[in-house]
Amino acid sequence: MGLKSLDKIIALQKNPANIRNLCILAHVDHGKTTLADCLVASNGIISSRLAGKLRYLDSREDEQLRGITMKSSAISLHYAFGEKEYLLNLIDSPGHVDFSSEVSTAVRLCDGAVVVVDAVEGVCPQTQAVMRQAWLENIRPVLVLNKMDRLITELKLTSLEAFTHLQKILQQVNAVTGSLFTSKVLEERAEKEEWEEKKKEMERDASGTGSQAEESQGVDQMYDWSAGLEETDDSHLYFSPDQGNVVFASAIDGWGFSIQQFAHIYSQKMGIKDEVLRKTLWGDFFLNAKAKKIMKGAQAKGKKPLFVQLVLDNIWTLYDAVVTKRDKEKVEKMVTSLGVKVMARDSRHSDPKVLLSAICSQWLPISQAVLCIPSVAMVCEKLPSPLDISTERVERLMSAGARRFDSLPERTQELKNAFIQCSSEAEVPVIVFVSKMFAVDAKALPQNKQRPLTQEEIGQRRELARQRHADRMAANQQAESSADPAQSSSDTQSAQPGVEGVSSQMESLAGKEPRVEEVARETFVAFARVYSGVVRRGQRVFILGPKYDPAQGLSMLPEGCMASDCVPAVPHLTCCTVNSLYLLMGRELEELEEVPSGNVLGEYHRPT
């Protein structure tokens, strides 16, 4: 990673308002890692041609061999449009049911999620599972309908048939959201009814006026479970393209778009207001050419919906010209009208998908559709920042296991404000949530890697190499000119120490150290997020285990006790020194001196 980009990310870490912590959730083989590759390629970390093939965030050997994601991995990306700059901490999670625990670790560190659904297969069992996990952790999702190309190349659907198919899939996804919402409302209502019933019983026991009339009234009482659903507003929970939380994409071909993007394009061409097109591009609307108006009732009147006419027909025509018919003249006209530049090697390539990807990645780049097109900005605008964390989510993070938040000691409950404020001031407590521990090869740690040579060291190496070469040439000339074999051998031996001296200097410049036996081949690094304060290298902190009891800990620890003090033994509580902090960059780790609140990090500590 370049020094400039690292410095930029470190600067962005200090502004939590422009940080987005998000994970990619989906069923297995729905295109999570391919989508992640496209987003990574937009930062110049990998080539856009390798997106979907390299699987950059699948850093384990067994992941590459099996072709599936098995462990959650994170990477920090920088995006800018206009004057705003964002830091995106992206976590790619597994989609296989056997690795559901990895999805939980990813979700707990994020504020938002990108739910990827295959446009052909639709909602699958693991799609429901990951959406439920996101719901339980109270994080906000956005939707990407991926593999749109399969509707054209595999199912051979027309644009109108594809529109109907996409509507059904969207209904499936919203049905899952609706069931989660219904279960939550009914559960809350049941708890409320139970609490009110207990309260009445306590009042009757206290007054001693319980009568048979009240009991008979309780028997005839009816519960209206639908009342809670009618009172609660759930319109913001569902996915709808006109709300800007849905993107249609083909990650393998490098393109993606949202309704807002085409609304902006056609508002300039057709002279229709951008707001009107945003509301009518998706739905039962059609364009009346004679009246030059957008009207409702496309299905009843046998007209093409606006989404089909203005959006899908263009994509279907491009695929037909490039992939199916390979019509060079038509392709050239389309390239000219779209205003994109195609390299000669791409146009001559035997695989038509190469040319298609070259056109689509410039016309409708998926990274911009998902992340940061002005006026679209699905991730940057629709997903919350660390400053917008909800109180429900904080209470869930602080309540381990079956323990309720209101059962915690008052001093522990006061930390809730620190979570919500997400401040990096010196006086706030440092709170770091560790989601999991993952193994890293000790040789891959930044401090164990061989540092790059400076220009001065490279110049010294060059001079030493020239000197060594000159000594060897001189030794060979002396050996050839001497007639006496004994004299020749003695001259060679006398020249050899000089060569050995030069080689020893070369080794010292290379920074080689005596080999020491490696104590451990692997090091465990914490996959964590800072929720409050600033964590620094060399800092002493408390580690609270999953079974730590706050009431017991507060009673055993002296008042005002710090991690740097001599702490008495408390069950499931230890003290440690933060040895190293890392910026997670997929397969790479970058060493940091400090990490402010709201950021995802890797952390190595040694218990003391």
Side-chain angles (χ1 to χ4, degrees), residues 304-604:
K304 269 188 179 183
L306 212 59
F307 184 75
V308 176
Q309 185 178 358
L310 300 183
V311 180
L312 293 186
D313 279 351
N314 293 322
I315 297 173
W316 258 244
T317 303
L318 180 62
Y319 268 81
D320 182 63
V322 177
V323 179
T324 308
K325 296 181 179 179
R326 301 193 183 187
D327 190 340
K328 292 184 179 180
E329 293 182 1
K330 193 173 183 180
V331 170
E332 289 178 0
K333 291 180 180 179
M334 297 183 74
V335 167
T336 305
S337 63
L338 293 174
V340 298
K341 295 182 180 180
V342 179
M343 299 179 68
R345 64 177 183 180
D346 292 335
S347 59
R348 293 195 302 264
H349 204 282
S350 58
D351 185 5
K353 280 297 188 79
V354 175
L355 175 59
L356 180 72
S357 180
I359 297 172
C360 292
S361 60
Q362 297 178 62
W363 177 37
L364 301 170
I366 186 172
S367 60
Q368 291 184 355
V370 174
L371 295 173
C372 61
I373 273 192
S375 77
V376 178
M378 186 176 76
V379 163
C380 297
E381 296 296 332
K382 294 296 178 181
L383 297 186
S385 71
L387 297 174
D388 300 324
I389 189 170
S390 63
T391 55
E392 292 180 4
R393 184 146 188 264
V394 172
E395 292 177 2
R396 185 175 180 85
L397 287 170
M398 295 180 67
S399 305
R403 188 185 294 119
R404 293 175 60 90
F405 177 77
D406 51 15
S407 66
L408 297 174
E410 291 186 6
R411 290 177 60 185
T412 304
Q413 292 186 26
E414 290 174 0
L415 294 175
K416 177 180 175 180
N417 295 327
F419 274 90
I420 296 173
Q421 291 173 3
C422 191
S423 175
S424 299
E425 300 295 331
E427 62 273 7
V428 299
V430 177
I431 303 175
V432 181
F433 183 86
V434 177
S435 181
K436 69 170 183 177
M437 304 292 291
F438 63 96
V440 178
D441 191 349
K443 296 179 181 178
L445 296 176
Q447 60 267 30
N448 296 337
K449 288 184 178 180
Q450 187 175 359
R451 61 179 179 84
L453 297 175
T454 63
Q455 291 295 329
E456 184 180 353
E457 290 174 338
I458 293 174
Q460 291 178 357
R461 280 193 169 196
R462 188 182 296 112
E463 290 300 323
L464 289 172
R466 289 173 180 172
Q467 183 181 349
R468 184 170 59 179
H469 179 70
D471 290 344
R472 285 179 178 174
M473 292 296 293
N476 291 336
Q477 289 178 1
Q478 290 180 5
E480 292 174 359
S481 60
S482 176
D484 188 2
Q487 183 67 26
S488 174
S489 63
S490 64
D491 290 342
T492 306
Q493 290 175 3
S494 62
Q496 191 66 26
V499 177
E500 291 178 356
V502 173
S503 62
S504 63
Q505 293 180 28
M506 289 280 289
E507 290 181 359
S508 64
L509 277 176
K512 292 184 179 179
E513 297 179 355
R515 291 185 178 180
V516 181
E517 291 186 6
E518 296 182 1
V519 178
R521 294 182 179 179
E522 289 186 341
T523 301
F524 282 95
V525 176
F527 192 33
R529 172 179 167 178
V530 184
Y531 279 95
S532 176
V534 180
V535 61
R536 296 179 173 87
R537 287 180 60 185
Q539 189 174 14
R540 294 276 296 173
V541 294
F542 290 113
I543 296 182
L544 313 180
K547 296 182 180 180
Y548 171 74
D549 185 4
Q552 183 185 18
L554 290 173
S555 62
M556 297 179 66
L557 291 173
E559 189 74 20
C561 179
M562 304 291 289
S564 56
D565 301 335
C566 184
V567 179
V570 179
H572 308 291
L573 183 144
T574 56
C575 294
C576 75
T577 302
V578 178
N579 295 91
S580 301
L581 298 172
Y582 302 113
L583 177 69
L584 302 175
M585 295 298 296
R587 306 180 182 187
E588 303 291 332
L589 297 175
E590 297 289 341
E591 205 162 12
L592 300 173
E593 290 296 323
E594 63 179 30
V595 180
S597 178
N599 291 280
V600 175
L601 76 154
E603 184 260 335
Y604 171 67

Side-chain angles (χ1 to χ4, degrees), residues 215-280:
E215 293 178 2
S216 62
Q217 186 179 359
V219 173
D220 297 335
Q221 188 176 2
M222 296 179 64
Y223 294 91
D224 184 12
W225 296 104
S226 63
L229 296 174
E230 294 174 356
E231 295 169 1
T232 311
D233 181 25
D234 60 340
S235 59
H236 63 285
L237 299 175
Y238 298 105
F239 300 103
S240 179
D242 55 3
Q243 291 185 7
N245 56 6
V246 178
V247 162
F248 305 90
S250 172
I252 195 66
D253 289 338
W255 61 266
F257 66 90
S258 68
I259 291 295
Q260 286 74 9
Q261 187 174 349
F262 274 95
H264 181 70
I265 294 172
Y266 282 110
S267 64
Q268 298 174 348
K269 289 186 177 181
M270 301 171 64
I272 302 174
K273 290 183 179 180
D274 195 341
E275 297 178 357
V276 175
L277 284 172
R278 288 189 184 193
K279 294 178 181 178
T280 57

Side-chain angles (χ1 to χ4, degrees), residues 39 42-43 77-81 84-86 88 367 371-372:
L39 303 183
S42 64
N43 258 218
L77 304 175
H78 164 241
Y79 282 93
F81 59 88
K84 288 188 176 182
E85 292 183 312
Y86 289 92
L88 304 176
S367 60
L371 295 173
C372 61

Side-chain angles (χ1 to χ4, degrees), residues 174-195:
N174 285 330
V176 176
T177 305
S179 64
L180 294 170
F181 169 74
T182 303
S183 61
K184 179 186 177 183
V185 171
L186 295 181
E187 184 179 351
E188 290 177 352
R189 186 166 178 79
E191 290 178 358
K192 185 179 179 181
E193 293 285 348
E194 185 179 354
W195 170 251

Side-chain angles (χ1 to χ4, degrees), residues 12-26:
L12 290 171
Q13 284 184 337
K14 299 176 182 179
N15 183 13
N18 286 359
I19 295 174
R20 298 293 183 270
N21 298 314
L22 65 142
C23 56
I24 304 179
L25 307 176

